[in-house]
Amino acid sequence: MPVEPPVESPSSLADAYRLLTGGLLRPIAGGTDLMVQITGELGEPPRRVLDLWHVDELRGISRSDGGLVLGALTTYAELRRSPIVAEFLPELAEAAATIGAAQIQNRGTIGGNIANASPAGDTLPLLLATDAQIVVGSARGERDIAAHDFWTGYRRTALAPDELVLRVVMPLPADRQLRFRKIGTRRAQAISKVVMALAWRPAVDGRWHDVRLALGSIAERPVRAWETERQLEGAEPSKETAARAVATLAAEIHPIDDVRSTAAYRRAVAARVLERLIRNEGGW
Ligand SMILES: Cc1cc2nc3c(=O)[nH]c(=O)nc-3n(C[C@H](O)[C@H](O)[C@H](O)COP(=O)(O)OP(=O)(O)OC[C@H]3O[C@@H](n4cnc5c(N)ncnc54)[C@H](O)[C@@H]3O)c2cc1C
């Protein structure tokens, strides 16, 4: 029988920082990832736990000059219901709706998705494609980490052991277009085989600029497809553009075989999803 680890439950960020300074504690937010690890069958189980659920400074969805601001404890259900998200970043609500099912959406948080650092975390490609900043903090102060610097390896992040994810800021350029696609086995309770977010700004001549293409489940961490982005930059969404971008993407990504899918399937599907996204925009 697994032994339940001792739990500290601060009600303010200052108390949470103080506890983290005093010794190694594993934060728990919604617990939808951490509780799976509690038995120790999947790696090192947490020895002591820091329950963040009552730290209200980590809650809230708002709009600032920097963009959409999401507290780390924002749940997927909150993302789905938020009028601000619906108005300014509906693709995030779309992504939240694909995660787990109702139980997971009621407890699972965006901060947990970010800190858990699974290559299959469904919100992570959207954070990469929107140039999000992840704001982290500890008793030593706060700092911003660009999403593309945050995931450093398989389930590894740029967070120090005493740091918490506080919030994420997603810039909202007025003319940006954003698309999200998730490929899984079913419509609910499906971990991604491939997850993709594509962002660009259209010029008056129809060409794409500031292209961002981010993928999950095709590498040890969520990644940007830099080569394919370069291929799409300044191009129009034509058949020729799609053919070139798809070939570049297929060569650029290095998926793995695992229980959910084969590398060959992931490569083929990622390429096909990108082709369809470009085709939809080009109207051919
Ligand atoms: C049945 C099931 C289905 C799922 N389906 C999906 C899915 O479709 N897509 C998907 O992406 N994920 C899915 N997940 C995984 C999980 O629900 C998400 O990753 C969720 O966002 C985790 O959030 P949480 O608040 O529950 O994190 P927790 O389990 O509380 O924490 C996860 C990790 O993050 C750390 N952590 C949490 N919050 C912070 C913080 N603020 N600062 C620092 N560290 C922190 C914890 O220490 C832990 O290591 C599923 C899980 C289950 C059990």
Side-chain angles (χ1 to χ4, degrees), residues 26-37 52-53 58 72-73 76 98-101 104 107-116 120-123 159 163-166 182 189-192:
R26 276 290 287 285
I28 186 167
T32 60
D33 278 314
L34 198 77
M35 290 307 288
V36 179
Q37 297 160 23
L52 300 176
W53 203 251
L58 300 179
L73 287 180
Y76 299 113
T98 71
I99 293 182
I104 296 296
R107 283 294 295 193
T109 65
I110 190 145
N113 210 220
I114 292 168
N116 193 56
D122 283 324
T123 66
L159 271 180
E163 279 182 321
L164 295 173
V165 175
L166 305 181
K182 168 173 171 173
Q189 301 291 25
I191 304 295
S192 299

Side-chain angles (χ1 to χ4, degrees), residues 5-29:
V7 181
E8 302 282 357
S9 296
S11 53
S12 72
L13 198 51
D15 281 348
Y17 286 163
R18 190 177 44 75
L19 287 159
L20 279 166
T21 308
L24 204 59
L25 284 158
R26 276 290 287 285
I28 186 167

Side-chain angles (χ1 to χ4, degrees), residues 2-82:
V3 178
E4 191 177 305
V7 181
E8 302 282 357
S9 296
S11 53
S12 72
L13 198 51
D15 281 348
Y17 286 163
R18 190 177 44 75
L19 287 159
L20 279 166
T21 308
L24 204 59
L25 284 158
R26 276 290 287 285
I28 186 167
T32 60
D33 278 314
L34 198 77
M35 290 307 288
V36 179
Q37 297 160 23
I38 213 108
T39 60
E41 288 163 74
L42 299 170
E44 188 67 14
R47 304 261 171 239
R48 290 174 67 209
V49 171
L50 182 73
D51 177 10
L52 300 176
W53 203 251
H54 304 291
V55 180
D56 285 343
E57 291 117 300
L58 300 179
R59 295 199 176 278
I61 300 174
S62 60
R63 208 188 152 205
S64 75
D65 290 346
L68 184 71
V69 184
L70 306 166
L73 287 180
T74 304
T75 64
Y76 299 113
E78 287 166 343
L79 290 175
R80 292 188 70 179
R81 282 197 300 261
S82 163

Side-chain angles (χ1 to χ4, degrees), residues 132-277:
Q133 291 286 325
I134 297 163
V135 184
V136 307
S138 69
R140 292 171 286 118
E142 291 188 10
R143 62 186 180 117
D144 291 357
I145 306 176
H148 68 80
D149 290 328
F150 191 84
W151 299 285
T152 54
Y154 181 68
R155 291 185 178 270
R156 298 212 354 242
T157 72
L159 271 180
D162 64 342
E163 279 182 321
L164 295 173
V165 175
L166 305 181
R167 56 191 175 275
V168 52
V169 183
M170 302 176 78
L172 297 170
D175 55 348
R176 182 188 57 210
Q177 299 291 310
L178 184 61
R179 303 288 180 267
F180 170 84
R181 295 288 184 275
K182 168 173 171 173
I183 307 298
T185 306
R186 314 172 278 269
R187 286 172 67 88
Q189 301 291 25
I191 304 295
S192 299
K193 296 178 182 209
V194 173
V195 54
M196 182 182 289
L198 175 66
W200 74 95
R201 297 167 82 165
V204 276
D205 60 3
R207 292 178 186 275
W208 287 6
H209 294 281
D210 294 335
V211 179
R212 304 278 184 275
L213 176 63
L215 295 103
S217 290
I218 55 93
E220 57 173 10
R221 59 194 167 104
V223 290
R224 282 198 28 204
W226 303 94
E227 283 299 317
T228 313
E229 286 181 5
R230 275 192 278 279
Q231 190 89 67
L232 288 168
E233 187 67 35
E236 54 191 0
S238 63
K239 270 187 193 171
E240 296 70 30
T241 299
R244 278 196 299 271
V246 158
T248 304
L249 183 67
E252 185 175 12
I253 61 177
H254 300 285
I256 56 160
D257 290 313
D258 69 9
V259 287
R260 287 195 298 282
S261 195
T262 62
Y265 177 87
R266 288 186 159 109
R267 181 175 281 111
V269 166
R272 180 59 64 89
V273 169
L274 179 63
E275 186 195 31
R276 284 197 184 167
L277 283 172

